[in-house]
Amino acid sequence: MGKIFWFDVETTGIDSKVNSIIQLAAIIEINGEIVDEIEFKIKPVEDQSKVSQQALAVNGYNYQQLCEFGSPEIAKKELDLIFNKYIDKYDK
């Protein structure tokens, strides 16, 4: 069956050129079995004026809460570690 990375993101709006990912949740499935579940809450990179109030309402957060989330750099490093755990980059 193989490996599947199921994921969902929450953002600060719908414009990918302006808005940021603020939450990434994922399930890793190998051969039909869930082997890992992850969730990252990520501090937005844009300033408050570019964060959609509608997006905040949908996500259930306020801007102050977003500012307490971890940095995008930390989320990327942690995601890299997870991928390295399940993917052998030398095995095509």
Side-chain angles (χ1 to χ4, degrees), residues 38-40 72-83:
I38 60 173
E39 179 183 33
F40 298 111
E73 294 81 14
I74 290 173
K76 186 202 179 296
K77 285 179 184 178
E78 290 181 18
L79 191 57
D80 285 345
L81 290 172
I82 291 167
F83 284 155

Side-chain angles (χ1 to χ4, degrees), residues 2 6 16-18 28-30 36-39 41 50-51 66 68 72 74 78-79 81 89:
W6 303 98
S16 63
K17 294 178 183 171
V18 175
I28 298 173
E29 182 180 321
I30 299 176
D36 213 338
E37 297 180 28
I38 60 173
E39 179 183 33
K41 293 187 178 184
K50 295 180 182 171
V51 175
L66 300 183
E68 295 173 6
I74 290 173
E78 290 181 18
L79 191 57
L81 290 172
K89 62 184 172 184

